[in-house]
Structure formats: C-alpha cells, structure tokens
Amino acid sequence: MDYYEKILAKKKQGKSLLFRRDDLFLAQLNELILEQDHQTIILWAFDISEKTMYYLTDKYLDDRPKRAYETVKLWSKGEIKMKEAKRTILDLHAMAKEVEEKYDELLIHALGQALSCVHTPKHAMGYPIYALSAAVYHGASLEELEYMKKRYTNKLLYYRDIDKTKITKWASFILKY
C-alpha cells in the first residue's frame, strides 16, 4: 500500500487528521520549520492562512475568522494583549463545532493553528496538517497535496530570506525568540 492509499484508508476510517508532523511526506517541511525564527513563522503563517480566512468568512457570512486573523495580527505587533487574541482563536475553534462539512471544520482548525503561531512557533505544523487533511476530504489527488506542500515550503523560504524588521512592527515578546 503506497502513502496516498494509507491516507485514503485513514479517511475511510473517519479519522480527521490524516497527516502527522513526523510523516515522511512532511518531514522536510517540518525540519525547515524547526530551523526558523519566530518572526519568519508568524509571517509565513499569516500568508498561507489568509485565503482560508477569507474563504471561511465569505462562505459562512461569519466574522469570526476575519476577526481572529485581524486581532492576532494586532497582538503580533504588541497593540493588544494575548487575552484578547486568545479569545478570538477560541471563538474560531468553537465555530468548527458548528459547521457540518469536514472540509470546512478542518480548515477552521487550520486557521486557528496558523494564528496560534504568534503564541509559539510550535503550532506551525498545525496549518499544513489540518489543511492537507481538509484537501483530502475535498478530494485532492496526491499531486495536489504535493503542490500544496511545495507552496508552503516556498513561502517559508521566502520569509526566511527577507528582512522582517522592514515588514511590520513586532511585539516585544516576539523579539525575544
């Protein structure tokens, strides 16, 4: 049984998360993530999750995804405290319990994981794991999954190599990493 067949077997069993950070499929991306500083992870997470935020906000006519995204951005700049940002992320995860489509449920959790990268880079693999799982539930082929993984990797390399101090203001707790 090849890797993709194993993923489809997990889906058939009803498992939500079809990937793990230590899967061979994600090993290179995980290693690259572990090498990055906090600012790189945050910029990357905001970038790869932005379309997800708009998709969810528009589809459900619900402002929780956009509110969480914008509030966490303010937190990353030190303009608000963690408590306010954390509340919006928890509201986002609550939204996941309200939707009926597995695809959307997983994307909501993916967005929550991406936004949680401001708290700690340890959440960085959460977005790819949830988003790739969502893609499988949406019928993605192995080639499409490979494309997604490559996109995440290329964006991470982009943010690794730019001067992050010129892009945005940073909260003091982020500069400590």
Side-chain angles (χ1 to χ4, degrees), residues 52 56 60 65 92-97 99 103-113:
T52 302
L56 294 166
Y60 290 98
L92 188 62
H93 286 299
M95 180 181 173
K97 295 177 184 175
V99 302
Y103 174 72
D104 292 341
E105 173 191 340
L106 291 167
L107 285 180
I108 293 167
H109 287 305
L111 179 58
Q113 289 294 308

Side-chain angles (χ1 to χ4, degrees), residues 56-117:
L56 294 166
T57 299
D58 292 347
K59 179 173 182 179
Y60 290 98
L61 302 176
D62 191 318
D63 74 336
R64 286 179 286 184
K66 188 173 183 181
R67 188 169 11 105
Y69 188 89
E70 291 174 351
T71 302
V72 172
K73 270 198 162 186
L74 292 174
W75 176 36
S76 74
K77 296 175 184 182
E79 296 177 14
I80 63 168
K81 297 291 183 186
M82 176 181 163
K83 184 177 182 180
E84 188 176 347
K86 182 180 177 182
R87 178 76 258 153
T88 64
I89 293 171
L90 293 174
D91 289 346
L92 188 62
H93 286 299
M95 180 181 173
K97 295 177 184 175
E98 299 168 12
V99 302
E100 293 182 19
E101 292 181 42
K102 179 63 90 178
Y103 174 72
D104 292 341
E105 173 191 340
L106 291 167
L107 285 180
I108 293 167
H109 287 305
L111 179 58
Q113 289 294 308
L115 298 178
S116 295
C117 287

Side-chain angles (χ1 to χ4, degrees), residues 37 39-40 43 157-170 175:
D37 62 45
Q39 296 165 345
T40 298
L43 291 170
L157 292 171
Y158 169 78
Y159 286 108
R160 177 194 70 184
D161 295 338
I162 62 170
D163 182 354
K164 288 160 267 309
T165 61
K166 294 182 179 179
I167 293 179
T168 188
K169 170 178 130 182
W170 294 102
L175 298 173

Side-chain angles (χ1 to χ4, degrees), residues 5-22:
E5 289 172 342
K6 289 178 184 176
I7 294 299
L8 294 177
K10 287 182 185 180
K11 176 185 172 192
K12 190 173 181 178
Q13 293 170 354
K15 295 185 187 268
S16 290
L17 295 181
L18 308 176
F19 299 86
R20 294 174 23 165
R21 74 180 64 241
D22 60 353

